[in-house]
């Protein structure tokens, strides 16, 4: 399958505007500037992009797509060790950044100042669909970050499936303030807008007041956020009510706590759409714009996606809505493997070709999926029971004093593991919280230990880093 160089970006759309912070470009001018980048980097093995929330990042990434050169988004807040690993592992021999925005270090790739390049230039007319468009690095919670090879056709398939599921059209105005180095903010939030043809308003940072302003001043109709964003929107009722005129609120990158779902629905009049994805899979499950939206669930498979659940021994798990198992996927938006890691790539797939997500889920008879958590941190085996951390977290979050909660399994001499909670709360004590959960869930699911903490460790996407709990 061969795709023209610009195919990932969709067909030309008159009047489409891309804005990041205070700066905006019409689509035609953005593509002209990106063509100048493409001419500069043509023939490179890979290029890194200092992925700040800026138009320069958008221009640089689009330039890589036009040139058919794999793009490696580099988190702007990455430490020197992480940065050196990504640059060295990816083989990026150029680094695209705005002049003065990136501090070079010894041995770094040459810097190409995106904001000083002239527009125009010849771009590659045809690029194979299976060619790598992006090399996205995992968070590295289980070792050094791995480079995930995402093809052009995977991006196109994933975005088209979402456009159908969310009834996303050029008439929408997409609003978000998410980082531009992950699937959510970059692939969905920038390339999605370009492919569909909808204007984009990136707020710089995902602040409740900025979302409210975009709704009122820019006609924002489609809003993306992670649970932390939506929690902060709910904490600002006036900002939340400003979103009542929107068409769709979408939450992802981490489970949306049920109390936040319900509060958001109450304030905005919108039951948010939840969806599920990974760097390796893009988005594969979602509620639909015109369908049901259930708190605690991530919906149904997107077109072309197949799912199944497997027990630890590989045997099938019934779709009864209760029995958890590891979620396996087959889909056209799957990644092409881990860069230079054939063994890790092979281990990520079952012998019959299904991708092992490492996430524990339950699937109902009607096909609705509920993510329990990561197999490595969120499936707690206590006294012969299998307990999903997410269910206990939602029970804790229902307590009026609890603002944040994270649950893990910790060693126990009799039970094997015990349910241990880390909670950010105002005026609640340990025993009261244990009793609160015991009143709502089975007795074996109650936390045996509750640690009251000032904050939970989170990464750039707002996900709690459970490996840092108790450290």
């Amino acid at each position: 399958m061969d795709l023209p160089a610009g195919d990932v970006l969709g067909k030309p759309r008159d009047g489409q505007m891309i804005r990041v912070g205070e700066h905006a470009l019409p689509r035609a001018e953005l593509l002209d500037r990106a063509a100048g980048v493409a001419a500069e980097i043509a023939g490179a093995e890979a290029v890194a992009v200092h992925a700040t929330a800026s138009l320069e990042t958008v221009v640089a990434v689009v330039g890589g797509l036009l040139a058919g050169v794999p793009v490696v988004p580099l988190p702007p807040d990455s430490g020197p060790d992480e940065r050196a690993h990504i640059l060295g592992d990816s083989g990026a021999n150029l680094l695209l950044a705005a002049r003065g925005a990136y501090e070079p270090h010894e041995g770094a790739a040459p810097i190409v100042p995106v904001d000083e390049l002239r527009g125009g230039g010849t771009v590659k007319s045809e690029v194979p669909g299976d060619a790598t468009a992006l090399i996205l690095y995992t968070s590295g919670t289980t070792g050094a970050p791995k480079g995930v090879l995402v093809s052009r056709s995977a991006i196109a398939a994933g975005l088209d499936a979402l456009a159908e599921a969310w009834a996303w059209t050029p008439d929408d105005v997409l609003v978000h303030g998410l980082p531009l180095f992950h699937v959510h903010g970059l692939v969905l939030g920038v390339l999605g807008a370009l492919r569909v043809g909808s204007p984009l308003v990136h707020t710089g940072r995902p602040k409740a007041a900025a979302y409210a302003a975009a709704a009122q001043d820019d006609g924002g109709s489609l809003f993306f956020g992670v649970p932390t964003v939506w929690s902060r929107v709910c904490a600002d009722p006036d900002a939340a009510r400003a979103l009542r005129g929107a068409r769709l609120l979408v939450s992802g990158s981490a489970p949306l706590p049920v109390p936040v779902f319900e509060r958001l629905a109450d304030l905005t009049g919108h039951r948010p759409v939840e969806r599920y994805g990974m760097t390796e899979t893009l988005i594969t499950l979602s509620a639909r714009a015109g369908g049901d939206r259930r708190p605690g669930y991530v919906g149904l498979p997107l077109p072309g996606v197949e799912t199944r659940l497997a027990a630890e021994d590989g045997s099938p798990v019934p779709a009864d809505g209760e029995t958890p198992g590891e979620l396996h996927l087959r889909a056209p938006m799957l990644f092409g493997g881990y860069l230079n890691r054939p063994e890790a790539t092979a281990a990520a797939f079952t012998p019959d070709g299904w991708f092992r997500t490492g996430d524990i889920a339950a699937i109902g008879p009607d096909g609705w999926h509920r993510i329990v958590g990561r197999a490595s941190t969120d499936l707690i085996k206590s006294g012969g029971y299998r307990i999903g951390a997410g269910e206990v977290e939602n029970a804790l979050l229902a307590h009026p004093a609890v603002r944040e909660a994270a649950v893990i399994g910790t060693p126990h001499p009799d039970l094997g593991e015990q349910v241990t909670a880390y909670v950010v709360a105002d005026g609640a004590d340990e025993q009261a919280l244990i009793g609160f959960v015991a009143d709502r869930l089975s007795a074996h699911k109650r936390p045996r230990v509750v640690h009251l903490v000032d904050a939970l460790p989170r990464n750039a996407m707002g996900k709690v880093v459970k490996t840092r709990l108790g450290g």
Side-chain angles (χ1 to χ4, degrees), residues 201-212:
V201 177
H202 189 288
T203 58
R205 298 186 68 183
K207 295 183 177 181
Y211 276 36

Side-chain angles (χ1 to χ4, degrees), residues 129-211:
D130 60 1
T132 298
L134 300 172
I135 305 175
L136 301 173
Y137 275 78
T138 61
S139 59
T141 55
T142 57
K146 297 189 291 288
V148 176
L149 303 174
V150 182
S151 72
R152 303 167 71 87
S153 57
I155 292 173
L159 293 177
D160 288 349
L162 286 177
E164 179 181 334
W166 298 344
W168 188 0
T169 75
D171 292 331
D172 279 304
V173 175
L174 173 62
V175 178
H176 74 90
L178 302 172
L180 300 187
F181 48 87
H182 285 303
V183 168
H184 199 167
L186 177 60
V187 178
L188 276 61
V190 173
L191 301 184
L194 288 168
R195 184 168 180 81
V196 170
S198 61
L200 167 64
V201 177
H202 189 288
T203 58
R205 298 186 68 183
K207 295 183 177 181
Y211 276 36

Side-chain angles (χ1 to χ4, degrees), residues 13 15-18 24-32:
R13 307 285 184 184
Q16 185 186 21
M17 187 71 69
I18 306 298
L25 283 175
R27 179 188 177 101
E29 187 175 341
L30 186 149
L31 292 178
D32 183 67

Side-chain angles (χ1 to χ4, degrees), residues 138-459:
T138 61
S139 59
T141 55
T142 57
K146 297 189 291 288
V148 176
L149 303 174
V150 182
S151 72
R152 303 167 71 87
S153 57
I155 292 173
L159 293 177
D160 288 349
L162 286 177
E164 179 181 334
W166 298 344
W168 188 0
T169 75
D171 292 331
D172 279 304
V173 175
L174 173 62
V175 178
H176 74 90
L178 302 172
L180 300 187
F181 48 87
H182 285 303
V183 168
H184 199 167
L186 177 60
V187 178
L188 276 61
V190 173
L191 301 184
L194 288 168
R195 184 168 180 81
V196 170
S198 61
L200 167 64
V201 177
H202 189 288
T203 58
R205 298 186 68 183
K207 295 183 177 181
Y211 276 36
Q216 295 172 326
D217 301 337
D218 301 293
S221 61
L222 178 60
F223 288 76
F224 290 171
V226 298
T228 302
V229 172
W230 295 125
S231 178
R232 290 171 181 171
V233 167
C234 289
D236 186 341
D238 288 340
R241 293 186 188 99
L243 302 184
R244 283 186 168 269
R247 185 179 68 81
L248 209 63
L249 310 182
V250 179
S251 183
S253 296
L256 183 67
V258 171
V260 178
F261 181 107
E262 294 172 342
R263 179 66 171 157
L264 194 63
D266 180 57
L267 288 169
T268 68
H270 295 286
R271 295 172 66 82
V273 163
E274 292 192 69
R275 86 301 183 283
Y276 166 82
M278 300 176 63
T279 306
E280 292 91 338
T281 68
L282 304 184
I283 308 305
T284 51
L285 303 169
S286 181
R288 303 304 199 259
D292 194 10
R293 303 170 205 173
R294 307 175 188 174
Y297 288 78
V298 291
L300 301 161
L302 293 175
V305 176
E306 300 174 80
T307 65
R308 72 181 187 189
L309 298 179
E312 290 169 282
D313 62 2
S315 60
V317 170
D320 58 11
E322 295 294 333
T323 308
E326 184 184 20
L327 181 64
H328 293 176
L329 297 167
R330 290 197 299 205
M333 57 282 285
L334 284 182
F335 75 132
Y338 296 112
L339 179 65
N340 299 326
R341 287 172 170 78
E343 292 182 0
T345 300
F349 290 86
T350 64
D352 56 349
W354 291 71
F355 175 67
R356 309 175 193 265
T357 66
D359 282 325
I360 303 301
I363 303 176
D366 58 0
W368 273 74
H369 289 58
R370 175 168 56 90
I371 304 299
V372 175
R374 293 295 292 171
S376 57
T377 57
D378 293 324
L379 186 63
I380 302 167
K381 301 171 187 176
S382 181
Y385 293 101
R386 291 156 60 91
I387 302 165
E391 185 177 18
V392 184
E393 288 163 358
N394 275 328
L396 285 164
L397 287 165
H399 191 287
V402 173
R403 291 187 281 124
E404 298 181 81
V407 169
I408 60 174
T410 58
H412 188 276
D414 179 47
L415 300 172
E417 286 187 306
Q418 67 180 5
V419 178
T420 298
Y422 290 80
V423 176
V424 180
D426 301 314
D429 63 44
E430 176 182 357
Q431 291 305 315
L433 293 175
I434 292 172
F436 184 82
V437 175
D439 288 342
R440 284 156 179 77
L441 302 178
S442 301
H444 65 270
K445 296 179 180 180
R446 74 187 187 282
R448 291 187 174 257
V449 176
V450 172
H451 297 286
L452 297 172
V453 297
D454 293 330
L456 299 178
R458 296 181 182 274
N459 64 16

